[in-house]
Amino acid sequence: MKETVVSGIRPTGKLHLGNYFGAVTNFVKMQYDYNCYFFIADLHSLTTHPTPDDLHGYVRHVLVEYLACGINPEESTIYIQSDVPEVAELYLYLNMNAYLGELERSTSFKDKIRSQPDNVNAGLLTYPSLMAADILLHRATKVPVGKDQEQHLEMTRTFGNRFNRLYKTDFFPEPYAFNYAQNLVKVPGLDGKGKMSKSEGDSNCIYLSDSPEIIRKKVSRAVSDSGPTSENQTKPEAIQNLFDLMKIVSSADTISHFDSLYNKMEIRYGDLKKQLAEDMIIFNTPIRERIEELSKDTSYLRQVARHGALKARESASETIREVRKLIGFKSF
Ligand code: ADP
Ligand code: TRP
């Protein structure tokens, strides 16, 4: 029996290189070796109160981009979270065993209190139990996500184990974060600090759908500094970030060329950025072209979403049937 894999991305905009290297590239590779469920986490995105039109548009983007990146709907199950209502039922059960203190301690909740202080809703607080429900719904053991999601995986294990203990069962296995790279990946952004993230603004991100002109413009404006002041010095964060971005799209020769120029204090950041932009363009052109093609094919998108929902509900309803039995809901 193949191990089960679950992962999802919230539809809050277009996918960027961080999403790709942190998550989606693993989806594509895993689909041939595992029993995979990849979904679009539209219920999670309701915490930010999107308009119906924005919500639908973003769901469509992510579906198109999943397919454009090479997730094959014949190999893996691609579905939209809200098409599988069983997840809401499992979320309710898990919430009965999720404690205020532990939910309040989650880093993502603390971040949200800071970033949206006027909208600290119960959905934000219980975000980790909905995420746990997504994963436990298919009894997955591997979850391809970026480094920022590690704590959510830990909470998922806590909730699953707690359910198992309460109902004296071993029904839910323990899921772990997964990446084919040695360590979980963190792709830096263009603003000289921290990770690439939509919430840091469009100029911080290279989207998979960005045109060559936009990529050149964004990379040329990436934060750098006035250059090294001594030979072989440690690179400050903004410069290390540019080299880290090169590591994901450029050849080893290119990187060592610029590295030795840096060490000799002969580097010109303009040249490095030009090379980085061209290598990003080579990487993303085939994906961007597929995005453009697939965006036009609504009937294919509809077919993929319907097929995925059916397959996901099959697995979800089996889990819910068993969970109801374990909890003690019985028919007379
Ligand atoms: P964003 O920060 O742009 O809102 P999300 O939080 O929606 O992105 O992330 C979706 C998926 O992509 C998650 O699995 C997350 O771990 C991964 N991811 C996002 N940004 C990065 C990054 N800069 N490096 C690595 N993985 C990332
Ligand atoms: N929390 C994830 C993120 O912000 C999205 C997500 C929701 C998810 N449910 C999931 C990821 C289940 C993996 C498995 O990126």
Side-chain angles (χ1 to χ4, degrees):
M1 264 270 283
K2 285 182 179 174
E3 268 184 89
T4 297
V5 171
V6 168
S7 193
I9 294 184
R10 280 170 304 135
T12 52
K14 295 179 267 183
L15 299 187
H16 52 68
L17 293 182
N19 302 137
Y20 183 83
F21 287 100
V24 183
T25 184
N26 290 292
F27 298 3
V28 175
K29 289 187 210 153
M30 291 179 98
Q31 63 187 339
Y32 300 102
D33 296 329
Y34 298 97
N35 175 31
C36 291
Y37 295 88
F38 299 125
F39 68 97
I40 299 167
D42 57 351
L43 297 176
H44 283 276
S45 73
L46 296 182
T47 56
T48 57
H49 305 166
T51 67
D53 283 348
D54 279 353
L55 179 65
H56 183 69
Y58 291 151
V59 169
R60 196 174 202 281
H61 268 306
V62 179
L63 179 58
V64 163
E65 290 176 352
Y66 273 179
L67 295 166
C69 288
I71 304 178
N72 178 347
E74 304 300 322
E75 292 288 343
S76 41
T77 303
I78 303 179
Y79 67 97
I80 298 163
Q81 189 185 26
S82 60
D83 280 341
V84 181
E86 288 80 2
V87 76
E89 185 171 338
L90 186 55
Y91 167 60
L92 184 148
Y93 301 146
L94 295 177
N95 273 337
M96 299 299 167
N97 276 303
Y99 294 98
L100 183 60
E102 63 190 339
L103 294 170
E104 279 176 335
R105 275 195 300 276
S106 121
T107 330
S108 62
F109 182 64
K110 287 192 217 154
D111 287 348
K112 292 292 176 190
I113 294 182
R114 236 171 289 131
S115 65
Q116 51 182 76
D118 299 331
N119 180 21
V120 183
N121 57 61
L124 277 180
L125 182 71
T126 56
Y127 188 104
S129 34
L130 181 55
M131 179 156 166
D134 293 324
I135 297 167
L136 300 174
L137 192 61
H138 304 292
R139 302 170 72 203
T141 49
K142 286 193 162 52
V143 185
V145 280
K147 192 162 177 47
D148 56 326
Q149 296 298 313
E150 240 175 342
Q151 193 186 32
H152 287 150
L153 265 296
E154 203 181 307
M155 294 176 84
T156 302
R157 291 190 289 277
T158 302
F159 297 150
N161 286 333
R162 199 174 281 158
F163 180 97
N164 285 349
R165 261 198 313 279
L166 182 64
Y167 296 110
K168 300 184 176 43
T169 173
D170 57 3
F171 186 63
F172 289 124
E174 285 196 328
Y176 285 89
F178 180 87
N179 194 296
Y180 278 104
Q182 284 291 333
N183 298 310
L184 293 182
V185 169
K186 182 176 129 190
V187 176
L190 296 174
D191 62 2
K193 51 183 167 38
K195 65 165 197 153
M196 185 174 287
S197 172
K198 283 183 286 280
S199 53
E200 299 305 314
D202 284 349
S203 59
N204 185 43
C205 298
I206 299 291
Y207 294 109
L208 298 176
S209 54
D210 277 348
S211 66
E213 298 71 45
I214 292 182
I215 294 180
R216 288 191 189 104
K217 195 147 105 194
K218 284 183 180 174
V219 176
S220 74
R221 291 178 185 168
V223 173
S224 59
D225 63 13
S226 49
T229 49
S230 60
E231 288 191 0
N232 301 313
Q233 76 176 58
T234 310
K235 299 181 183 81
E237 187 182 4
I239 306 305
Q240 186 59 50
N241 285 356
L242 293 176
F243 276 88
D244 285 349
L245 284 166
M246 271 200 145
K247 278 185 205 147
I248 62 178
V249 289
S250 304
S251 71
D253 284 352
T254 303
I255 298 163
S256 73
H257 168 72
F258 285 101
D259 205 37
S260 76
L261 288 176
Y262 185 86
N263 288 334
K264 288 187 284 184
M265 295 170 61
E266 288 168 14
I267 193 152
R268 291 203 314 219
Y269 291 133
D271 294 345
L272 178 146
K273 287 178 178 180
K274 269 196 195 119
Q275 181 70 45
L276 177 59
E278 293 315 308
D279 290 339
M280 283 177 169
I281 291 166
I282 291 171
F283 163 78
N284 102 331
T285 295
I287 298 180
R288 194 192 69 248
E289 288 173 354
R290 283 198 296 275
I291 291 174
E292 283 163 14
E293 274 306 299
L294 284 158
S295 300
K296 296 180 212 145
D297 199 347
T298 302
S299 79
Y300 177 62
L301 299 177
R302 189 181 304 126
Q303 184 196 321
V304 168
R306 282 195 186 153
H307 178 63
L310 279 178
K311 282 203 318 193
R313 288 199 73 181
E314 233 175 77
S315 147
S317 55
E318 239 176 73
T319 301
I320 290 295
R321 204 177 313 124
E322 194 58 35
V323 164
R324 284 174 152 259
K325 235 196 276 170
L326 286 165
I327 291 179
F329 294 135
K330 291 184 186 152
S331 47
F332 291 97

